[in-house]
Amino acid sequence: MTTMTVAAPSKLPLWRTIGEAYAVWAGNFADLVRIVWLWMVLMAPVLAILNWWQVPYVTGLMRASSSGQPFADPNPMLTLVVQIASVVIMLPVLASVAVAWHRLLLRDEHPGPGTYLRLDGVVVGYAVLAFWIGAIALAPSYISLLFQIMTGTSATMQDALALVIQSLAGLVSIVGFFIVARLSLALPGRALGRDDVTLGMAWRVSKRNTWRMVWAYFFCILPWGVIAGGISYWLLRTDYSQVAITLILVVIGLLGIIANMISVGMLSLAYRHFFERSA
């Protein structure tokens, strides 16, 4: 294992990093397509199955959000199982694409002429680390579902309990996201095969940069968030069949893999600033 020496914490150049994240995404888009296209083909039927079961939950949640009413999941066990299955299935795919994207931006490793379908120890290690980091922000929502399943609250109490539980889960998730934004700096190091870039080191080097990392993530996911949110609002106001909604959700999920590489690229640039700028 090599030992890494990092410079003292410094301010991340926020707007330059965001701009470069979009620039490298657009400038290397052809490589990104070569990295992701086979994964998208393989995942399309899987997402179709998962989203089919999720349509009642998604439509119910959107209608509740638009009306300002708390949402009581009619089948929280099914929702929990499908969401866990989605994470287990999709996380290795996202990790595989992210590893290739990190290595392209940080080590200039472009995909070869053949198909890209990497699933090795580096990708698995990246996926495991991403899971534990993401769990900090996602765990409250899963705990909320488990609480509904285990308590079996009556219909008269469901709305009030749902409101309290969802509010608490939302607050904890927001706090968790601020932590995740800094700890995620360890992910590019894992993509490069470095085991000396730990979560503790990522936390130390990003000291006094919490808001900068949060804003960097926010502006990198904002365009796709607006697009996906607009499509969701459109679905809410129209009476589409479950098949049509499922297909639209599949398209959103597949295109989201490509769009999320903007934030992954931002993470690579932030990693370079905090860990490699003195090299």
Side-chain angles (χ1 to χ4, degrees):
M1 181 181 72
T2 59
T3 301
M4 173 177 284
T5 302
V6 296
S10 64
K11 296 295 185 180
L12 177 73
L14 177 61
W15 298 113
R16 189 179 74 192
T17 301
I18 294 171
E20 289 180 356
Y22 280 95
V24 296
W25 183 81
N28 296 279
F29 192 78
D31 282 322
L32 179 56
V33 172
R34 283 195 291 271
I35 292 169
V36 79
W37 76 265
L38 184 54
W39 277 123
M40 294 177 69
V41 171
L42 294 176
M43 287 298 106
V46 177
L47 286 177
I49 295 172
L50 293 173
N51 284 317
W52 173 267
W53 291 105
Q54 282 285 85
V55 167
Y57 170 81
V58 172
T59 54
L61 182 62
M62 289 191 297
R63 291 192 178 98
S65 299
S66 65
S67 63
Q69 298 297 319
F71 174 64
D73 191 346
N75 197 339
M77 178 60 78
L78 176 62
T79 299
L80 182 62
V81 170
V82 172
Q83 289 187 0
I84 292 176
S86 299
V87 171
V88 171
I89 294 171
M90 290 301 298
L91 187 55
V93 176
L94 293 169
S96 178
V97 176
V99 164
W101 196 238
H102 284 307
R103 297 184 73 90
L104 188 153
L105 300 185
L106 292 171
R107 295 296 182 265
D108 200 29
E109 292 184 10
H110 294 261
T115 57
Y116 174 85
L117 205 65
R118 180 173 181 171
L119 269 179
D120 56 10
V122 173
V123 171
V124 172
Y126 188 100
V128 171
L129 183 61
F131 172 82
W132 288 116
I133 295 174
I136 297 173
L138 296 177
S141 62
Y142 292 129
I143 294 173
S144 173
L145 284 171
L146 280 173
F147 183 83
Q148 294 181 49
I149 295 169
M150 295 173 63
T151 56
T153 53
S154 63
T156 56
M157 297 177 62
Q158 188 70 35
D159 287 348
L161 280 175
L163 179 60
V164 173
I165 293 170
Q166 291 170 19
S167 298
L168 289 175
L171 288 174
V172 175
S173 293
I174 292 173
V175 174
F177 182 72
F178 280 76
I179 299 173
V180 167
R182 288 174 59 182
L183 294 182
S184 296
L185 282 169
L187 288 172
R190 188 58 56 92
L192 298 178
R194 303 198 65 107
D195 56 2
D196 55 335
V197 181
T198 63
L199 294 177
M201 184 177 291
W203 185 260
R204 289 194 298 273
V205 301
S206 59
K207 184 179 180 181
R208 297 191 299 273
N209 282 274
T210 301
W211 276 105
R212 288 171 180 265
M213 290 299 300
V214 169
W215 283 121
Y217 267 112
F218 174 79
F219 284 109
C220 285
I221 65 175
L222 179 61
W224 182 244
V226 171
I227 293 172
I231 295 174
S232 300
Y233 180 76
W234 172 57
L235 289 175
L236 176 66
R237 295 180 61 87
T238 52
D239 188 20
Y240 285 103
S241 67
Q242 187 169 354
V243 173
I245 295 176
T246 298
L247 292 176
I248 294 172
L249 292 177
V250 168
V251 173
I252 292 175
L254 294 176
L255 294 181
I257 298 174
I258 296 177
N260 282 331
M261 290 306 107
I262 299 174
S263 59
V264 172
M266 177 279 298
L267 204 57
S268 294
L269 297 170
Y271 171 90
R272 178 181 293 163
H273 170 80
F274 288 115
F275 287 99
E276 298 184 346
R277 71 184 190 279
S278 60

